[in-house]
């Protein structure tokens, strides 16, 4: 992206003046190198989102932004239902409520050193990963409805977890307003055998080591110290979410003329929040969020069992569970007044600042943990929400490194076997059913996650707490 | 540009993949829209595994309806993705008939065997991004879109 098309507002903050159909400006948070490396399509997508009905304040892009579907990945946009605001299936994404859950283990690096290979193999056997893998749980009829309404709360009730896990999961583990009846038979059928599965693509379960602490107060509140071993799970709502996304993308695109919405790109398909279709999507999408929360809860249970077999002294506790593909109704201050807005975060993480009432008491002083997944050879990060983030982008931050290279290009540049061997030489164990899948996710295919996180901090979106280095990666 | 492309057995249609920042595009070429749809479906399978690894042993019937030909392509690919997901199958041979808004098709394939097919990735859905059904200058039909993986 050409910097000349942007006006610098502050360090790592760039503005696109409203032009043409744009109702609000575009705001892009990133350093100049990251901006220059971004596709022009990101610029176009920020502007397109800024033209949607009822958008409030600005169309935002996070430092890890890249070309997405209608909305950029790394896009944040809030809509006011009283101003004709819309909800967009593309603005949430196909993998509804994809997110990261991080668990502390009570273990230090030295505790796992001798058992690393066995732990990797045990986790790979315990965690269904990749295409064709199915979970041990089969959901039928009423049980599917209970899962869609109850989320992680349902999973804990069924014995897959501990009640305290829910205190450290967004929404207390259960998204309110889910309407299972809005979830189609096809979506249910796609999910029947997929509870407790990781999926594929960029999804993973990683064992990581805390290698640096940048904020000791927040790290202490989160229970993190240098040398600690943590587990991070990155996945979403599986086939059910994909099917809901596909179906509503189609119906919103087809209904747009009826709603008087002209779409510069069909992928921006949306419906007024206050319309039968908008409400129907919100009910289904929230059920999809519950599916993702339940899924990560079941995977937590499976990871606990795997650790028990190899390292019985481990105690896996949920640090936090946060989604980065959602649309949530939230209260924000606009022009000094509290307003209920529908905030889309597509590849962006909610980042509530200190004092926010939705935070668990243990984190209230320091802000919400913001879990950033990196690539399998570099690093992941734990950040904390800031007070300024509310003003910057409705309390939002980046979600990952962001891809720098297409899958196609990555498979030409690397071979999976070679990536696995090189990482093994650096002490990182990869377990995957697909060499090509590994090549597509090669660390070099991603942006520099450290630069992304640095920009998020400079821009005031979130502040750095801990850097995590991968030791074992079960790749979906 | 056609580095991932393969010629179909018939010697007529062909397919290729194209790049998208995070995902991958599927593109089918053919003398007719039907053939371009069939080739786009082969490109779809190739996102997961090389189609020649998939034996066309079992048939599945697929029907979709959409008055917009491009949306019909979107529906066709999503119907295949759905069948792949719920049947845990991969497909390698396709026969598509289109009459107006109505598509009738048969897809042949076999149950997924991870050890043999070595699937690279699961497809979440066909998208509207780069969705196109058109004739190029030489009169050849092109059917394409980006798929989310």
């Amino acid at each position: 992206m050409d910097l000349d098309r942007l006006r610098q507002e502050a360090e790592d903050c760039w503005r696109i003046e409203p032009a043409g159909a744009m109702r609000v400006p575009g705001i892009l948070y990133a350093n100049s190198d990251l901006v220059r490396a971004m596709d022009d399509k990101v610029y176009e997508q920020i502007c397109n989102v800024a033209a949607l009905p009822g958008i409030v304040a600005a169309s935002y892009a996070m430092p890890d932004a890249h070309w997405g579907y209608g909305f950029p990945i790394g896009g944040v946009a809030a809509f006011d239902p009283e101003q004709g605001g819309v909800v967009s299936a593309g603005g949430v994404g196909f993998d509804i409520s994809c997110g990261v859950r991080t668990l502390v283990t009570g273990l230090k690096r030295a505790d796992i050193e001798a058992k690393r290979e066995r732990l990797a193999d045990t986790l790979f056997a315990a965690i269904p990963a990749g295409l064709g893998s199915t979970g041990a749980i089969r959901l039928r009829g009423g049980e599917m409805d209970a899962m869609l309404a109850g989320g992680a709360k349902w999973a804990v009730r069924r014995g897959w977890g501990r009640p305290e896990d829910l205190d450290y999961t967004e929404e207390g583990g259960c998204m309110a307003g889910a309407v299972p009846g809005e979830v189609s038979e096809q979506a249910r059928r796609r999910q029947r055998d997929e509870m407790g599965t990781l999926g594929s693509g960029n999804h993973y379960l990683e064992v990581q080591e805390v290698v640096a602490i940048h904020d000791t107060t927040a790290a202490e509140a989160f229970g993190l110290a240098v040398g600690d071993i943590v587990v991070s799970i990155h996945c979403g709502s599986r086939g059910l979410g994909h099917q809901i996304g596909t179906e509503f993308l189609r119906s919103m695109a087809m209904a747009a003329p009826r709603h008087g919405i002209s779409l510069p790109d069909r992928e921006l398909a949306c419906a007024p929040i206050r319309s039968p279709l908008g409400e129907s999507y919100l009910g289904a999408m929230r059920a999809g969020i519950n599916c993702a929360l339940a899924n990560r809860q079941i995977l937590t249970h499976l990871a606990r069992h795997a650790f028990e077999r190899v390292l019985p002294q481990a105690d896996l506790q949920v640090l936090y569970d946060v989604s980065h593909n959602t649309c949530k109704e939230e209260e924000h201050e606009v022009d000094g007044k509290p307003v209920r807005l529908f905030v889309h975060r597509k590849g962006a993480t909610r980042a509530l600042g200190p004092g926010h009432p939705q935070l668990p008491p243990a984190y209230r002083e320091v802000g919400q943990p913001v879990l950033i997944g990196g690539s399998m050879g570099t690093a992941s990060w734990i950040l904390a929400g800031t007070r300024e983030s509310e003003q910057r982008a409705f309390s939002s931050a980046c979600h990952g490194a962001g891809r720098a290279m297409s899958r196609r290009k990555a498979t030409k540049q690397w071979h999976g076997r070679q990536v696995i061997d090189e990482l093994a030489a650096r002490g990182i164990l990869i377990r995957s059913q697909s060499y090509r899948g590994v090549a597509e996710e090669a660390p070099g295919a991603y942006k520099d996650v450290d630069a992304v996180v640095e920009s998020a901090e400079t821009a005031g979106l979130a502040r750095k707490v801990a850097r995590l280095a991968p030791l074992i990666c079960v790749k979906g | 540009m056609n580095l991932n492309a393969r010629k179909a057995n018939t010697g007529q249609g062909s397919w290729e993949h194209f790049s998208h920042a995070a995902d991958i595009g599927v593109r089918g070429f053919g003398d007719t829209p039907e053939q371009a749809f069939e080739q786009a479906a082969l490109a779809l399978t190739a996102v997961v595994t090389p189609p020649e690894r998939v034996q066309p042993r079992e048939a599945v019937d697929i029907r979709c309806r959409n008055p917009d030909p491009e949306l019909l392509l979107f529906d066709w690919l999503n119907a295949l993705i759905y069948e792949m997901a719920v049947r845990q199958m991969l497909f390698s041979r396709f026969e598509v008939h289109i009459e107006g808004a109505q598509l009738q098709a048969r897809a042949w394939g076999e149950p997924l065997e991870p050890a043999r097919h070595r699937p690279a990735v699961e497809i979440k859905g066909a998208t509207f991004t780069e969705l196109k059904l058109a004739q190029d200058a030489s009169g050849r039909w092109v059917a394409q879109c980006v798929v989310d993986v």
Side-chain angles (χ1 to χ4, degrees), chain A residues 67 69 94 131-132 186 190 200 238 242 246 249-250 253 266-267 403 405-408 433-434 436-437, chain B residues 1 17 19-20 22-23 46-48 66 70 75 78 82 88 112 118-120 122 124 128-129 148-149:
Chain A
W67 179 22
Y69 300 105
F94 282 92
L131 182 56
Q186 285 84 349
R190 262 179 96 166
S200 71
R238 309 294 299 108
H242 310 162
T246 303
L249 181 69
R250 180 182 190 273
R266 265 197 288 226
E267 205 74 59
R403 282 194 84 92
M405 188 187 286
S406 72
R407 291 175 181 279
R408 197 166 158 262
Q433 69 170 11
S434 162
R436 198 175 109 202
Chain B
M1 283 302 286
H17 288 153
S19 285
H20 174 269
D23 295 301
V47 170
V48 182
N66 205 311
E70 284 185 343
D75 287 349
N78 275 316
Y82 176 76
Q88 292 276 306
L112 171 72
R118 296 258 154 210
E122 175 189 35
K124 293 174 187 167
F128 289 145
T129 301
D148 192 1
V149 299

Side-chain angles (χ1 to χ4, degrees), chain A residues 331-339 390-391:
Chain A
E331 188 170 290
H332 291 281
E333 212 180 273
V334 179
D335 301 327
K337 278 181 273 188
V339 193
E390 170 61 20
Q391 293 303 314

Side-chain angles (χ1 to χ4, degrees), chain A residues 160-218:
Chain A
W160 299 305
R162 310 169 183 166
E164 59 268 30
D165 294 345
L166 304 173
D167 300 336
Y168 295 94
T169 303
E170 268 189 311
E171 322 298 339
C174 175
M175 187 70 219
V179 184
E182 297 290 357
V183 177
S184 71
E185 273 314 310
Q186 285 84 349
R188 290 156 185 261
R189 236 188 114 195
R190 262 179 96 166
Q191 193 58 25
R192 225 169 33 179
D193 306 329
E194 294 204 342
M195 289 312 292
T197 63
L198 207 49
S200 71
N202 61 1
H203 294 163
Y204 59 76
L205 179 145
E206 273 190 8
V207 178
Q208 304 159 327
E209 180 190 5
V210 178
V211 289
I213 295 288
H214 293 261
D215 178 328
T216 42
T217 313

Side-chain angles (χ1 to χ4, degrees), chain B residues 25-44:
Chain B
V26 297
R27 183 180 284 149
F29 299 99
D31 295 336
T32 60
E34 283 93 339
Q35 198 178 39
F37 272 53
E38 292 164 0
Q39 292 294 324
L42 268 176
L44 187 75

